Each structure stands twice: as C-alpha cells, then as structure tokens.
Amino acid sequence: MTVAPPEPRQSPTWSAVPPERPSPRLRALRLVRLNPGDREVLWLYLLTRISIWITAYCVRWLFPGNGDAHQPSPLLEPFARWDWGHYLHIARDGYFPGESGPWDKKWDSREAFFPGFPLLLRAVHTVVPSWTAAGLLISFVAGAVGVLALARIARLYLPGTGADRRTVLFFLLSPCAIFLAVGYTEALFLAFALPGWLAAQRHRWATAALLTALATTVRISGLFVAAAIAVHFVLTAARARGHWRSLPWPALPALPAALYAWYLHAHTGDWMAWKHAQERGWFRTFHTPREGWSHTWDAAFDRTQSAGYAVMFQAELVAMALGLLVLAVLLWRRRWAESVYIGITLWALGTSYWYMSIPRSTLLWWPLWIGLAAWSLRKPQVKTVYLCLVAPVSTVFALAFLSGRWAG
C-alpha cells in the first residue's frame, strides 16, 4: 500500500494567480455567490460595525454637547462630524445654491468634493428620511462590498493561506477604520475601486474601467487607480493575445473628472475650480516634498499648533513614512502597478503646504493590508504586535472622531 505524498503548502509570497477564462454566466455566479471565506469576513465586518455603534452610544452619554447636560446627545450626532457637513450641504442644496460661489467671502469651498457620494446620498434620502441615516446606510453597504473585494484580492494574491481573513482583520482594526462607518467617501470609493482592481487582475478590462470610472466620481484617487490599471494592462497585454483590442478602456475613468471640471467651469469660469477650492480651504498649494515634510514637522513639534492639532500632524508624518516604506517594498518586489498607485498618492498628498488626510488615505492602500497579512504569515508574531500596538490608537481615533474632538 502506497501513501500519496501530502500536497505542498502554499508559500505566502505575493504573486497573483494567472486568471482563468470561465464563461460569462459562471463569472456572474462567482460575483454573487458567497463561499465560507466570504461569509467569515462579512461576519467580521458586522462585528466591528456593532463595536463602533456601541462606542457611539457610549460617547453620547460620556461626551454630550453640553458638559452639564442631563440627557445624551441625539442618537446619530456622533456620526455627523467634520466633512459630513460638506457632503450634506452638496446633497441638500447643490454646489452653488442661490448663485453663491467662490466669489463670496464666507464660501465653504464645497466644490473641492467630487459629486459621486452627494448624488447617491440625495438618491438614498428619497427613501431614508434622515440625511445622517442615509449616509450611514451607504457606507454600511459599500463597506461590506469593499471588504468582500479586499478579501478576494488577498485570496488571489495569496491563495490557500488564509490571508483574506488576516487582511480584512488588519484593515478593519486600523486606526482610521472609523471613517468606513460614517458618512464619508472612503467606503463608497473602495466599493468601486477594489472590485475594479480585482476585475483588472482577471483581465476583465471593460468591467475594471467602468468600476474605476465610478470610483473617480467619488474621489480624485480613482484616477490613481486608473493609472495603476493602465500599467497593469500594458505589462500583461504583451503576454496575452488580443488584449490590445481593449486598449481604449483604461482611459474611461478620466471621463468623470473631465465632466466635473466642465460643470465647475460652466458655473465659475475656472477649469481648475476643484484644485483652487482645495488650495483655499485646505492649504493644498503646491510645495516640494521637502517643504511639505518640513512644514508638517514644524506644526507637529514646534508648539505652533494646539496639542490636538499637533498630535494629528504627528500622525500625518507617521502615515507618510509608512507610505514610503510600502512604496519601497513594492518597488523591491517589482509590483509596478501597485507602486504607481501608491507613488502617485504619496506625491499628491506630500506636495501641499503641509500633510493632510494621509492617515485616512491608508484605508485606500490595499497593498499595505495584503502585504501586512503576507508578512504575518511568515512571522506569526507580527499579528500579535499589530493588534497590541494598533488597538489603543484605533480606540483613541474612534473616540476623538465620535466625540467631536477630532483635531484635523
């Protein structure tokens, strides 16, 4: 009697499996059918949402708007903070209500925000009476789609290793994961961008282009994803017959940005109104990377800012350093398409007067979370260290946001 040798264990190296070519019907079934791994990551997603909702409930009692209040804050108030006001105003009133605009002294520079999320918010509000609840519903559903796509990308890169669950765990427990649970754009962007990237990995260029175009309606980062997909297309087209027929598709995501620029020009006479709004409202004027780092360092450590803002600028520096490390690893592993995405993102965020929103941007760096999962598979102690070090930071970030004490 002979015993068959055991199957070799998959090594947790980061390399995508060559795409298959199943029938269109089979591909459609794969999109909607959930396997046990999918259900597990969605269950993890739901548990983390429940945790955030419990935290928000406690915040209402511990940090009411009035310190002497005998009643908690309104039920959904912890979720209606900061940038939410811009999205709400756009969805409710439009970009230029009552012929107001950037020519007014008290203008809020709302044209700095792309229209995808506000348009969807207005549509959902026709069914959900509460604006805040409508925004939370969008982020809840979109976050589930994004998490599921992230798990499938991890499964494609690291098959048979359980990396999908680790990737989602690290992602959902990251410090800025609170932004996935509120009415912000991160969840909706990922719900389009990650399935788009997954489609590109499977050489479904039309689907990838359409999804990335939708991502571009939500955030300018959609163009960065499109650039990465274009690089991936060029690198794979040379090895696959007939791919060059799909050449026009990677250009499609530029269309939403062009239409938005045309819309703003029609109302303001400025083709670059979006960028100028960023400069007015958030000091995103162009500076060299060295100047951006220097200004952020001064704001973080020279006691020129309040303590709350200073610690946020420190977080910006840490996030930039982390991004540069991720970029270096991607280049070393010759992950050229992902390197383009991270590189363009860091350039866009690192060339303003000072850094802003880089910690939030880490949510959009799927190579970071997959790479971290791959590292933890090779060195199991990485998971323990991550959870022990990141858990307190994530808790502080969530409390700061939900209580309205977020400084940046």
Side-chain angles (χ1 to χ4, degrees):
M1 178 177 177
T2 60
V3 179
E7 296 183 359
R9 183 180 179 182
Q10 293 283 355
S11 175
T13 56
W14 191 355
S15 59
V17 175
E20 300 176 355
R21 284 293 181 180
S23 66
R25 181 181 178 183
L26 182 57
R27 291 201 301 264
L29 288 174
R30 286 181 177 179
L31 288 176
V32 299
R33 186 172 56 193
L34 300 179
N35 60 40
D38 294 334
R39 291 192 289 270
E40 186 171 345
V41 298
L42 289 177
W43 175 244
L44 178 60
Y45 174 73
L46 179 60
L47 287 178
T48 56
R49 300 314 91 185
I50 293 173
S51 175
I52 290 175
W53 297 333
I54 292 173
T55 303
Y57 175 83
C58 295
V59 163
R60 294 172 53 236
W61 291 87
L62 296 174
F63 305 103
N66 182 356
D68 298 327
H70 294 274
Q71 295 292 331
S73 303
L75 181 62
L76 298 181
E77 183 176 300
F79 297 100
R81 307 289 188 188
W82 309 108
D83 286 356
W84 164 252
H86 292 287
Y87 303 126
L88 173 61
H89 295 158
I90 296 169
R92 187 182 59 196
D93 308 322
Y95 276 101
F96 306 103
E99 298 184 356
S100 58
W103 45 86
D104 296 329
K105 291 183 179 180
K106 296 183 179 180
W107 182 242
D108 59 5
S109 300
R110 65 182 65 183
E111 68 272 24
F113 299 90
F114 272 44
F117 182 80
L119 285 174
L120 183 58
L121 177 62
R122 188 178 183 88
V124 174
H125 177 62
T126 61
V127 180
V128 180
S130 167
W131 285 103
T132 305
L136 294 178
L137 179 60
I138 292 171
S139 291
F140 177 75
V141 175
V145 174
V147 162
L148 184 59
L150 178 63
R152 291 182 175 183
I153 294 172
R155 206 174 297 145
L156 185 68
Y157 283 176
L158 302 165
T161 61
D164 53 345
R165 296 183 293 274
R166 288 178 180 246
T167 300
V168 170
L169 177 67
F170 294 155
F171 172 69
L172 291 176
L173 296 184
S174 62
C176 286
I178 181 63
F179 293 106
L180 299 171
V182 298
Y184 275 44
T185 59
E186 279 78 6
L188 184 60
F189 175 82
L190 291 173
F192 293 133
L194 292 184
W197 180 255
L198 183 61
Q201 296 302 299
R202 294 170 174 169
H203 296 179
R204 293 159 52 193
W205 304 114
T207 302
L210 290 171
L211 289 170
T212 308
L214 290 172
T216 306
T217 68
V218 180
R219 296 175 67 99
I220 190 65
S221 306
L223 294 180
F224 308 161
V225 179
I229 290 177
V231 171
H232 180 62
F233 175 85
V234 171
L235 293 176
T236 57
R239 300 194 300 267
R241 175 182 295 182
H243 271 27
W244 289 110
R245 291 195 298 268
S246 301
L247 183 60
W249 284 114
L252 181 64
L255 181 60
L259 290 175
Y260 185 50
W262 173 81
Y263 168 80
L264 294 180
H265 177 265
H267 287 80
T268 66
D270 181 7
W271 287 104
M272 300 297 293
W274 170 82
K275 184 177 187 301
H276 294 153
Q278 291 273 334
E279 294 172 353
R280 285 194 311 271
W282 292 270
F283 299 98
R284 293 193 182 273
T285 54
F286 179 80
H287 288 73
T288 65
R290 181 177 180 179
E291 290 174 327
W293 178 275
S294 177
H295 293 156
T296 309
W297 183 275
D298 292 343
F301 297 110
D302 282 3
R303 299 182 182 180
T304 58
Q305 304 288 330
S306 64
Y309 277 100
V311 73
M312 293 311 303
F313 280 116
Q314 293 172 26
E316 298 285 346
L317 293 170
V318 172
M320 173 58 77
L322 177 62
L324 293 172
L325 177 61
V326 171
L327 178 60
V329 172
L330 290 172
L331 291 172
W332 177 58
R333 290 187 172 274
R334 299 183 180 181
R335 303 295 306 188
W336 306 123
E338 292 89 342
S339 298
V340 166
Y341 174 68
I342 297 298
I344 296 177
T345 301
L346 293 178
W347 177 263
L349 295 172
T351 53
S352 57
Y353 178 80
W354 51 30
Y355 299 161
M356 191 172 295
S357 301
I358 301 180
R360 282 173 57 184
S361 182
T362 60
L363 289 173
L364 315 182
W365 301 350
W366 71 88
L368 166 63
W369 308 114
I370 297 175
L372 187 60
W375 188 21
S376 71
L377 288 169
R378 293 193 298 271
K379 296 183 179 296
Q381 64 270 28
V382 169
K383 180 179 178 180
T384 302
V385 172
Y386 177 87
L387 296 178
C388 290
L389 295 183
V390 170
V393 179
S394 301
T395 302
V396 169
F397 271 46
L399 288 174
F401 181 91
L402 295 172
S403 65
R405 287 156 174 79
W406 187 269

